[in-house]
Amino acid sequence: KLSEERESSANDKPGGGQNPNPDPNPGTGDCPPPPAAGHLKVKINEILAQNTAGLADETGKFPPWIELHNNSDDEVNLGGVPLSDELGKPAKWTIPCIPEAKVPPRGFLVIFADGDLADEQDLHASFTLPAKAFVQLILNKGSDLFFFDTGRIGVDQSAGCFPDGGAAISPLAQPTPGGANTEPARPPEQ
């Protein structure tokens, strides 16, 4: 409803005329355009595909989640930046232009990956993270890629980079949504 109001008010000029340059992305507000692929200093840092008792969303449910890490010394506005789980559709979902999309220096942003699109202004991606499957995540049309087999992690176990923003992805000792990642999990003793 909010985007309908913005769209109609953006297209109406005083005096009843139509705006010759309507906003092509209603609801994006004052977000800057996303940087070119490869120029975003934010990394996909951690995922959790089978969330049963960890981080709850605003409704009290426990959906899968994706954590992004701002690996720079500057605030980054991720509003308008695409995130996808399909290489062939790198702009499958767009982070909404909301205050929460501004990530402080060395900060984190958690996005729920449950396909819940009830409110376009929530941080809920249009796709889900499957359990026991190969996951491919694409941020900003290729600025960062995250590939991992969620069959390697159990219920309420996350996988991510250690240290934060690093290149190596492995199961982590414990989930840390919105915070610095823990060390990689130790392999089970045989």
Side-chain angles (χ1 to χ4, degrees), residues 68-104:
L68 305 179
H69 173 58
N70 176 0
N71 208 22
S72 77
D73 293 325
D74 299 310
E75 179 181 84
V76 176
N77 187 345
L78 293 177
V81 171
L83 177 66
S84 180
D85 65 339
E86 290 185 48
L87 290 173
K89 294 181 183 177
K92 189 173 185 178
W93 179 74
T94 301
I95 298 171
C97 187
I98 56 176
E100 295 84 0
K102 293 180 181 176
V103 186

Side-chain angles (χ1 to χ4, degrees), residues 3 7 9-10 16 44-45 49 53 57-59 71 79 82 87 93 104 112 121 135-136 150 154 159 168 172:
S3 56
E7 186 174 357
S9 65
I44 302 166
N45 198 51
D57 70 6
E58 65 281 353
T59 68
N71 208 22
L87 290 173
W93 179 74
F112 292 105
Q121 297 300 304
V135 171
Q136 53 186 12
T150 58
L172 299 174

